[in-house]
């Protein structure tokens, strides 16, 4: 008996040694030590984007979508200016027709603050909604992202999810409610991204929340809604698209971004330029070059406005995964420290530098500065925007793109630099101080920058022409 057991044991050992060692078939498979956590820079990127639906009049389907989702109590968010206009009426008509119970929140602030976010969050928590619809520009969509997030995570402190170093920058692990975004401007691309931006009043800077988890379930792009945008809103929204595309295309490549996350949940939404984002950013840039001036100058040019609406979404897909860098990082204190400037065509009761304007005013200086790191891309962008580069020298790429941008902005009657919106050299230290916490985006600049270099960029942006 003993000899038989030994022979069986010997046979089993032989079979075990001969067994397939692949993870599918083996119960004893052992993996080589994991070295990814030791990497200094990342080795991968991922694409995250909302579902997108495009078409004239497509807003009429929103009620059916909510019905299909089984929504019983819906929060509709918008602002005071939009609540009486056709885009909101189209949404409410669809909800009513499909017997969707809803409550309206129309106290969204144009250029939101931490307090306006928290007011919307309080409304959302009390309402106990099971779905959200945002009808408006980036301010409305971003506010709704925050309301959905914090009402789904009611025990969280407001700063828990806010980007570091201002907040704790915690990963979002709670499930959120279905969220449909209906953009009415052609600029932010917020319907495609997991980014929500606001003014943090205590520090007088813009910051935000960045997580793939908060992106809308569906972005419903209806070009009919852009018909109602006033001229300067079209222009400033378009400048945001322009800079989203330019910054995403010239951002630090994803393989150069550090640190490499030890867990994929910690990989940031803004990952650096990558082959897929490049495609969307360049295509958006072509559309801006072809259609923005037409969309601004001719309100009845439906083709131009519809294509700028698409360009906004395309650039959103690009920068929502690649990121932006210095134009946006520097824009946040420009908006946050506004003194008395009130932009034309914005019906608000507070001083306001529209986001797109705050971004584009530094663009000639910024791209002059960054061009030495990827001159070919800067030169390509200049050509797309209309520059003749047949005899251009690669070392002049930054100056050529800067001159191209100045001409573009001059043709669209943009204010003559930061001085024209109320800033002076005396404000530069405060503007630099407000830029420093924006490392989430500034570190994606292809060229690192010192405080002295930031000061020089602000000074160069005081006057454009």
């Amino acid at each position: 008996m003993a000899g038989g057991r030994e022979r069986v044991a010997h046979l089993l050992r032989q079979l075990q040694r001969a067994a397939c060692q692949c993870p599918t078939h083996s119960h004893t498979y052992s993996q080589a030590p994991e070295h990814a956590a030791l990497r200094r820079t990342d080795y991968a990127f991922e694409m995250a984007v909302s579902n997108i639906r495009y078409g004239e009049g497509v807003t009429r389907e929103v009620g059916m979508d909510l019905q299909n989702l089984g929504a019983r109590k819906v929060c509709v968010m918008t602002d005071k200016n939009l609540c009486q206009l056709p885009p909101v009426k189209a949404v409410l008509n669809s909800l009513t027709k499909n017997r969707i119970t809803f409550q309206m929140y129309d106290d969204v602030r144009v250029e939101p603050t931490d307090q306006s976010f928290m007011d919307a969050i309080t409304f959302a928590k009390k309402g106990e909604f099971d779905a959200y619809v945002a009808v408006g520009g980036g301010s409305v969509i971003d506010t709704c992202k925050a309301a959905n997030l914090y009402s789904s995570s009611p025990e969280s402190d407001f700063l828990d999810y806010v980007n570091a170093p201002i907040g704790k920058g915690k990963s979002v692990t709670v499930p959120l409610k279905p969220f449909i975004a209906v953009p009415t401007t052609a600029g932010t691309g917020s319907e495609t991204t997991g980014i929500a931006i606001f003014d943090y009043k205590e520090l007088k800077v813009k910051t935000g929340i960045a997580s793939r988890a908060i992106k809308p379930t569906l972005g419903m792009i209806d070009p009919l809604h852009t018909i109602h945008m006033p001229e300067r809103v079209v222009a400033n929204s378009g400048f945001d698209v322009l800079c989203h595309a330019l910054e995403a295309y010239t951002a630090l490549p994803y393989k150069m971004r550090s640190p490499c996350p030890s867990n994929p949940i910690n990989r940031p939404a803004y990952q650096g330029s990558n082959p897929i984002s490049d495609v969307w950013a360049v295509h958006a840039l072509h559309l801006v070059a072809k259609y923005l001036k037409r969309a601004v100058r001719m309100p009845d040019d439906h083709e131009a406005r519809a294509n700028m609406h698409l360009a906004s979404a395309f650039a959103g897909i690009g920068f929502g995964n690649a990121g932006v860098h210095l134009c946006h990082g520097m824009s946040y204190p420009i908006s946050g420290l506004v003194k008395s400037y009130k932009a034309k065509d914005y019906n608000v009761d507070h001083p306001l530098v529209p986001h797109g304007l705050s971004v584009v005013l530094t663009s000639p200086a910024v791209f002059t500065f960054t061009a030495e790191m990827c001159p070919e891309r800067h030169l390509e962008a200049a050509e797309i925007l209309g520059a003749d580069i047949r005899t251009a020298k690669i070392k002049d790429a930054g100056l050529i793109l800067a001159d191209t941008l100045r001409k573009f902005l001059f043709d669209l009657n943009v204010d003559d630099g930061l001085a024209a919106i109320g800033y002076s050299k005396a404000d530069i230290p405060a503007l630099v101080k407000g830029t420093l916490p924006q490392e989430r985006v500034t570190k994606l600049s292809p060229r690192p920058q010192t405080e002295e270099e930031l000061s020089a960029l602000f000074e160069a942006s005081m006057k454009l022409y």
Side-chain angles (χ1 to χ4, degrees):
M1 284 292 283
R5 282 198 297 270
E6 285 179 9
R7 283 194 298 274
V8 170
H10 177 69
L11 180 60
L12 287 172
R13 284 195 294 271
Q14 285 186 312
L15 288 171
Q16 187 176 32
R17 283 195 293 270
C20 177
Q21 296 297 303
C22 78
T24 302
H25 299 116
S26 173
H27 297 293
T28 60
Y29 174 72
S30 60
Q31 190 171 348
E34 177 57 73
H35 297 296
L38 302 178
R39 291 174 181 264
R40 291 185 178 179
T41 57
D42 211 338
Y43 65 98
F45 71 92
E46 61 184 270
M47 296 299 292
V49 64
S50 307
N51 292 321
I52 297 296
R53 187 181 303 157
Y54 176 88
E56 285 196 9
V58 74
T59 307
R60 69 171 68 97
E61 296 181 359
V62 67
M64 288 181 276
D65 285 312
L66 291 165
Q67 196 176 66
N68 294 339
L69 289 166
R72 296 180 180 277
K73 189 179 183 184
V74 176
C75 176
V76 178
M77 287 201 171
T78 190
D79 63 42
K80 296 291 187 190
N81 293 324
L82 276 164
C83 63
Q84 299 300 321
L85 293 178
V88 172
K89 290 181 179 178
V91 168
L92 299 186
N93 286 342
S94 181
L95 267 58
T96 302
K97 181 179 179 181
N98 289 279
R99 299 177 181 175
I100 301 295
T101 300
F102 65 88
Q103 281 183 247
M104 175 99 88
Y105 182 83
D106 61 6
D107 284 331
V108 171
R109 189 181 194 271
V110 178
E111 301 297 336
T113 64
D114 49 344
Q115 185 58 56
S116 74
F117 264 20
M118 286 188 279
D119 291 343
I121 291 164
T122 299
F123 179 85
K125 286 180 177 178
K126 288 180 179 177
E128 297 183 338
F129 303 105
D130 58 7
Y132 290 82
V133 177
V135 192
S139 296
V140 174
I141 298 172
D142 287 3
T143 299
C144 202
K145 289 174 183 174
N148 190 8
L149 171 60
Y150 288 95
S151 63
S152 300
S153 184
E155 303 304 316
S156 296
D157 181 75
F158 181 70
L159 290 178
D160 281 354
Y161 296 119
V162 173
N163 299 325
I166 292 171
K168 297 177 183 177
K170 287 185 176 180
S171 298
V172 178
T173 57
V174 296
L176 273 62
K177 303 296 191 295
F179 170 27
I180 298 176
V182 185
T184 60
T185 62
T188 67
S190 186
E191 69 277 5
T192 69
T193 74
I195 313 296
I197 301 297
F198 64 93
D199 284 316
Y200 189 59
K201 299 304 283 184
E202 182 179 334
L203 297 179
K204 294 187 176 180
V205 294
K206 276 193 187 299
T207 183
I209 303 161
S211 170
R212 296 176 187 87
I214 69 171
K215 72 182 185 299
T217 313
L218 171 65
M220 194 168 274
I221 302 173
D222 187 338
L224 293 178
H225 298 334
T226 64
I227 296 168
H228 309 285
M229 285 196 295
E231 176 193 315
R232 295 325 297 173
V233 176
V234 176
N236 292 325
S237 299
F239 298 145
D240 202 17
V241 180
L242 170 65
C243 288
H244 283 159
L246 284 173
E247 290 172 74
Y249 193 51
T250 58
L252 186 77
Y254 76 95
K255 285 187 177 181
M256 295 176 66
R257 194 200 75 254
S258 62
C260 178
S262 58
N263 187 310
I265 197 173
N266 297 322
R267 181 167 282 114
Y270 286 180
Q271 301 161 91
S273 61
N274 59 76
I276 300 178
S277 286
D278 287 350
V279 172
W280 293 100
V282 168
H283 189 52
L285 205 55
H286 278 286
L287 291 179
V288 169
K290 183 174 182 178
Y291 292 110
L292 179 54
K293 291 180 183 179
R294 283 171 49 182
V296 172
R297 293 167 177 166
M298 295 176 282
D300 58 349
D301 188 337
H302 292 187
E303 179 190 5
R305 292 208 168 185
N307 274 282
M308 282 305 302
H309 215 16
L310 276 177
S312 175
F314 294 163
I317 297 169
F319 92 86
N321 293 282
V324 287
H325 54 83
L326 286 179
C327 293
H328 273 75
M330 294 169 68
S331 80
Y332 297 146
I334 293 171
S335 293
L337 295 171
V338 59
K339 299 173 183 179
S340 58
Y341 182 83
K342 285 190 176 182
K344 180 185 175 187
D345 290 340
Y346 289 79
N347 183 24
V348 294
D349 60 0
H350 53 273
L352 172 69
V353 179
H355 174 63
L357 179 62
S358 71
V359 168
V360 83
L361 288 176
T362 62
S363 62
V366 163
F367 292 112
T368 301
F369 175 76
T370 57
E372 67 179 52
M373 305 308 292
C374 45
E376 295 85 359
R377 289 191 173 216
H378 286 67
L379 206 56
E380 180 186 355
E383 183 178 32
I384 292 170
L385 292 172
D388 183 349
I389 64 167
R390 286 175 295 180
T391 60
K393 297 177 180 177
I394 198 73
K395 66 181 179 65
D396 296 327
L399 294 174
I400 293 169
L401 178 54
D403 285 342
T404 305
L405 286 167
R406 285 191 191 93
K407 183 178 186 305
F408 198 82
L409 301 184
F410 183 81
D411 288 347
L412 287 171
N413 302 313
V414 174
D415 300 83
D416 189 9
L418 297 179
I421 63 171
Y423 290 104
S424 69
K425 289 185 180 180
D427 298 306
I428 290 177
L431 291 167
V432 171
K433 183 180 178 182
T435 303
L436 295 177
Q438 311 302 331
E439 58 185 37
R440 178 181 63 92
V441 293
T442 56
K443 71 179 182 181
L444 287 173
S445 168
R447 180 179 173 183
Q449 63 288 158
T450 64
E451 290 186 38
E452 291 74 21
E453 286 168 330
L454 286 173
S455 295
L457 290 174
F458 279 116
E459 184 170 356
S461 302
M462 285 291 164
K463 187 171 177 60
L464 288 181
Y465 312 124

